[in-house]
Amino acid sequence: MTSPHDLDFDDQRIEKARGLGDSGLQAYPHTFERKDTILDIRRRFHDIGHDKSEEQVVTAGRIYTVRDHGKTVFADLGDESGRIQLYIRKNDIGPEQFDTVVRRLDRGDIAGVSGHVFRTKLGEITIWVDGITILSKALCALPEKFHGLRDVEKRYRNRYIDLIVNEESREKFRVRSRVIAALRRYLEDRGFLEFETPILQPVYGGANARPFTTFHHALSQNLFLRIAPELYLKRLVVGGFEKVFEVARNFRNEDIDSHHNPEFSMVEIYEAYRDYNDMIALSEGIISHIVNRIHGTYEVCVDGTVIDFTPPWRRLSMEEAVLEYAGIEVREKDTETLRSIARDRGIKEYEEPKTWREFLVLFFENLVEDQLVQPTFVHDFPVENSPLAKSHRVKEGFTERFELFIYRMEIANGFSELNDPLDQQVRFEAQDRRRLAGDCEAQMIDYDFINALGYGMPPTGGVGIGIDRLVMLITGSTSIKEVILFPQMKSGEGACDQEPSPDDPEQ
RNA sequence: GGGCUUGUAGCUUAGUUCGGCAGAGCGACGGACUCUUAAUCCGUAGGUCAAGGGUUCAAAUCCCUUCAGGCCCGCCA
C-alpha cells in the first residue's frame, strides 16, 4: 500500500456516495444518536413474539449482508456487541427514503436505523425498520460473506478487513486486551506500581539479543531500542520502589517466525526482599489466575493438546530435567565423555561447550525443551549464560534462575537478581569480551547500572513473562502473528532496503 | 542465513500430476420478487494465471531469475 493505485475503491460505490449528496443527504454525516447497542436490543427483547414491540430502538453498525426482495429488504447489521437482522419495507419507510438510501446501501456500509423489534416467522429477532441513514459509505467491497478472508498475508497486512469479517480474529484480540487488563489488575491488587522506562537507550541490556540502532540528531549519538526494560526497573528498586512492573514493548533485531516478532510485549516484575522461589510462585499465580479468568477453567486446548494450568506446576532443576527427559547424568562428567554423548545424540554444536555446565545447557535446549508441554518450571541455570542472575546459594557454578515452559515455548524467565556490584561488573566484563569477539547478542557493560547497584539494591526477585506467547496459549493460536494486531511484514516496492550508514546519520 | 512449499477475478477456489480455448461459487451490475437469512430466479460484465525471462507449433501447467507469503531448521523470547 504505497501508492494510490493500491486503493481498493470501487467506482460504483464512489458514484453512490456522490448520489447521496445529490439527493441532499450526506455520505459521511457528523453524528448519529445511537440509543441501543445490538446486545442491548437482543437482551431486552429476547422473548419478543411476532408482534412488533411498542418501544422504538435506535441503533447503528455495519451492514454485513443484504437480501433484496424488491419492495422488501432483509439485511444484517453488526456492531461490536453482535449482529441483528433488519427488515426494511418500502411501505414503511416511504418510496423516497427507499430509493435514495436503501437502493444505495451496500454490504460494508455503516448505517443507523430506528424501528421496532419483532420475531420473524422463522424465529429470528429482527428490527422492523422505520428509518435508515447511511452513516459512512464504504468505498471498498468486503470479502466474501461465507468464507470470509482466509489469505493470511492479506489478513495481517490489512488487519482491519480481518477484524471486520472474521469474528474469531476479533475475539482473539478482545482476549488479548482482557489478559493485559487482568495482569495489571492482579499486580496492582498486590501493591505493585507500574512505571514507564526508556525505550530509547544509550546502552542496551537485560537480555542477550541483537538490538535495533538509531541516531539522535540533537544529541549526535547512537541510541538503541530496548531489548528489555530490566536494568531500568532494577534502578527503580535501588531508588526505593519495592514492587514494580512494566508492560513493555521490546525490540530485537532477529529473524521473524511463528514464535518471534521484532517487537513483542513482555511484563517484567521486580519485588524487593523476594527470591526466585517467590517469583516462581508469583508467575504461577498470575498465569493461572489469568487463564481461569478468561476461560473459567484451568484447562486450555491448543491444536488438539489440552494444557492443564491447575497450580501447582511441575518444578525441576535443569540437571533433573536433563536426567529425566534425556537420560543423561551430566554432573562432574569430563567434557570428552559429554562431547561424545552430544555427538551420538546428533547435536550439531557438540564442539562448542567447554565445561560440563555448558553441556548441560546444550542437552537441555536440544533434547528436553521440546518435550515440555504441560507448565513446567526449570530452575538453576549455569552461571555462564545468566549474567544478571545471582549465584546459587548452595550450587557452585549455578545461578538462581528459572524458566517456565508451556507447550514447548519459553513463557517466563526469572531469577534472584544479582545485587553484588562487583560480581555484576565481572559478569558484564565477561559479556563484553564475547561481544567484542563478534557475538552481537552479548550484552554491553552498563556502568551506570553497576553504579546503581553500588548504592545498594535489596535482595530482589524478578521475572519477565512473554505476553504474546501467553496470549497464544490462551487463544489456542499456533502463530504469534495471530495475536499481534499488526505483525511485521516486508514492505513491497518503494521500501528502503539500504542499511543506514553510520557516516550518514541523515538516513 | 539454509531447506521445503504457496501465489489463478474484489473474496473463496477448480484447472498444474501427464502442456492443447482459464472455469465455478460468492460479490458487483441490470431485471423479477413484501417474512428472507450462505434468500431464490433470469441476464451481464469482470483475468498481464505474482513479475520477468526461457523451452515449445502451443505454457496457468515444464525450466531459470526475481518479488511476497507459509511451514521447518539455525539464532532469539
Side-chain angles (χ1 to χ4, degrees), chain A residues 328-490:
Chain A
I328 304 171
E329 169 77 58
V330 178
R331 178 160 281 262
E332 307 296 349
K333 276 211 171 76
D334 66 86
T335 51
E336 283 319 303
T337 308
L338 293 168
R339 197 175 308 282
S340 68
I341 293 173
R343 194 172 45 225
D344 292 347
R345 294 294 186 99
I347 300 172
K348 277 179 265 174
E349 309 86 350
Y350 67 90
E351 295 279 12
E352 289 167 25
K354 293 178 181 62
T355 66
W356 69 271
R357 291 190 301 268
E358 289 175 306
F359 274 105
L360 178 66
V361 175
L362 186 75
F363 291 142
F364 178 75
E365 289 177 348
N366 283 277
L367 305 173
V368 179
E369 277 188 16
D370 280 354
Q371 299 183 62
L372 303 178
V373 174
Q374 298 301 321
T376 307
F377 288 106
V378 176
H379 54 83
D380 299 349
F381 284 51
V383 66
E384 285 84 351
N385 39 19
S386 308
L388 300 166
K390 201 167 192 170
S391 297
H392 199 281
R393 60 196 75 182
V394 292
K395 289 189 195 173
E396 196 178 335
F398 284 82
T399 56
E400 297 197 349
R401 174 183 180 184
F402 72 90
E403 289 186 348
L404 168 64
F405 289 86
I406 310 175
Y407 198 67
R408 295 179 276 270
M409 293 189 289
E410 186 190 329
I411 298 296
N413 177 14
F415 21 90
S416 302
E417 301 297 332
L418 178 54
N419 62 345
D420 175 342
L422 297 175
D423 191 359
Q424 184 67 78
Q425 184 170 2
V426 169
R427 307 265 200 108
F428 269 143
E429 282 164 359
Q431 286 288 309
D432 200 49
R433 280 193 294 277
R434 284 168 55 172
R435 196 172 61 85
L436 294 175
D439 181 353
C440 57
E441 282 156 10
Q443 303 192 19
M444 297 173 83
I445 306 183
D446 187 337
Y447 284 106
D448 183 70
F449 173 68
I450 299 170
N451 199 48
L453 294 185
Y455 280 84
M457 183 171 82
T460 297
V463 64
I465 300 172
I467 289 175
D468 311 283
R469 289 179 175 183
L470 182 59
V471 175
M472 284 172 70
L473 291 171
I474 291 175
T475 60
S477 305
T478 53
S479 169
I480 201 168
K481 290 185 168 76
E482 290 295 326
V483 299
I484 291 177
L485 277 167
F486 303 101
Q488 200 63 48
M489 304 285 276
K490 185 151 181 168

Side-chain angles (χ1 to χ4, degrees), chain A residues 45-53 117-120 124-125:
Chain A
F45 297 99
H46 71 277
D47 57 355
I48 192 82
H50 189 62
D51 293 332
K52 279 196 281 188
S53 63
V117 183
F118 78 114
R119 193 177 293 276
T120 64
E124 173 114 10
I125 290 181

Side-chain angles (χ1 to χ4, degrees), chain A residues 292-343:
Chain A
N292 194 260
R293 177 101 199 186
I294 301 291
H295 285 292
T297 159
Y298 288 111
E299 291 192 349
V300 172
C301 185
V302 180
D303 207 21
T305 303
V306 175
I307 298 172
D308 185 359
F309 287 85
T310 309
W313 302 338
R314 190 130 198 248
R315 301 173 191 198
L316 68 179
S317 71
M318 187 179 276
E319 285 182 82
E320 289 165 346
V322 168
L323 182 59
E324 176 172 332
Y325 287 92
I328 304 171
E329 169 77 58
V330 178
R331 178 160 281 262
E332 307 296 349
K333 276 211 171 76
D334 66 86
T335 51
E336 283 319 303
T337 308
L338 293 168
R339 197 175 308 282
S340 68
I341 293 173
R343 194 172 45 225

Side-chain angles (χ1 to χ4, degrees), chain A residues 11 70 83 230 249 287 306 312 463 480 489 492 498:
Chain A
D11 291 340
R83 294 191 188 184
E230 170 150 352
R249 190 78 60 93
I287 295 172
V306 175
V463 64
I480 201 168
M489 304 285 276
Q498 296 297 308

Side-chain angles (χ1 to χ4, degrees), chain A residues 6-68:
Chain A
D6 295 325
L7 296 172
D8 296 328
F9 292 0
D10 179 330
D11 291 340
Q12 284 154 335
R13 287 180 177 231
I14 292 174
E15 278 313 304
K16 284 181 184 172
R18 292 197 176 120
L20 285 167
D22 298 342
S23 306
L25 299 168
Q26 292 176 281
Y28 305 96
H30 291 77
T31 54
F32 179 77
E33 187 89 1
R34 177 169 75 162
K35 293 198 168 70
D36 314 274
T37 68
I38 288 170
L39 185 62
D40 290 339
I41 294 168
R42 285 193 165 281
R43 282 196 178 134
R44 195 157 8 126
F45 297 99
H46 71 277
D47 57 355
I48 192 82
H50 189 62
D51 293 332
K52 279 196 281 188
S53 63
E54 291 287 316
E55 202 183 336
Q56 192 194 45
V57 295
V58 180
T59 190
R62 189 182 297 276
I63 300 291
Y64 276 93
T65 52
V66 178
R67 295 180 289 281
D68 185 350

Side-chain angles (χ1 to χ4, degrees), chain A residues 233-301:
Chain A
L233 288 170
K234 287 201 272 203
R235 284 170 168 94
L236 300 183
V237 179
V238 170
F241 290 115
E242 297 174 356
K243 295 175 157 199
V244 304
F245 75 101
E246 178 167 9
V247 175
R249 190 78 60 93
N250 295 339
F251 304 85
R252 299 191 186 174
N253 206 338
E254 315 271 1
D255 269 2
I256 298 169
D257 63 26
S258 58
H259 294 85
H260 300 88
N261 194 63
E263 51 183 300
F264 67 103
S265 298
M266 167 165 287
V267 58
E268 284 205 7
I269 307 162
Y270 295 88
E271 184 173 2
Y273 310 108
R274 293 285 183 269
D275 66 13
Y276 76 145
N277 293 306
D278 301 306
M279 293 298 110
I280 286 175
L282 180 65
S283 308
E284 190 176 79
I286 290 171
I287 295 172
S288 61
H289 169 81
I290 291 173
V291 168
N292 194 260
R293 177 101 199 186
I294 301 291
H295 285 292
T297 159
Y298 288 111
E299 291 192 349
V300 172
C301 185

